[in-house]
Amino acid sequence: MSAECSSYLNADKVLVSGFSCPRAGGDARAVFCCGFQDVKYCCDDPHSFFPYEHSYMWWLSVGALVGLSIAAVVLFAFIITVCVLCYLFISTKPRSKLDPGLSLQMA
């Protein structure tokens, strides 16, 4: 089994000629064409070719970083709110014991 990686323009806009997988001197299990439109290589996973440019993954990483940052800020705000509410609950309790009323005595 083998696959053909077609020619492509890399990120520097240089034409890279097509090649067959597995490549000579490479891993014999790497029989699939993998990568992106502008970066192609041979690998052993048939589902590792993405019809996007390689910079697409960089934007996904930035999106994940922004999402995680927003989640961290929300979590931090939640923790601060809980701490403030606990402090207010504890600090507004009466300091002295309430009068229980009549004292019980043994006869």
Side-chain angles (χ1 to χ4, degrees):
M1 179 182 225
S2 66
E4 293 290 325
C5 285
S6 60
S7 59
Y8 62 95
L9 290 175
N10 66 10
D12 298 326
K13 304 298 182 206
V14 175
L15 181 66
V16 177
S17 59
F19 53 90
S20 297
C21 296
R23 294 183 107 166
D27 187 1
R29 296 174 294 163
V31 295
F32 299 102
C33 184
C34 300
F36 300 89
Q37 286 180 345
D38 56 348
V39 178
K40 293 181 182 179
Y41 55 92
C42 296
C43 72
D44 60 355
D45 183 7
H47 305 292
S48 291
F49 182 77
F50 305 99
Y52 313 106
E53 291 185 1
H54 186 256
S55 62
Y56 168 78
M57 294 302 287
W58 185 80
W59 282 108
L60 281 181
S61 298
V62 169
L65 185 61
V66 168
L68 288 173
S69 299
I70 291 171
V73 168
V74 168
L75 179 64
F76 183 69
F78 176 76
I79 290 172
I80 294 296
T81 303
V82 168
C83 290
V84 167
L85 290 176
C86 287
Y87 173 76
L88 290 174
F89 178 75
I90 291 171
S91 66
T92 57
K93 281 181 133 180
R95 301 263 183 233
S96 62
K97 289 187 176 184
L98 295 176
D99 184 14
L102 300 174
S103 59
L104 299 176
Q105 295 179 355
M106 295 291 287

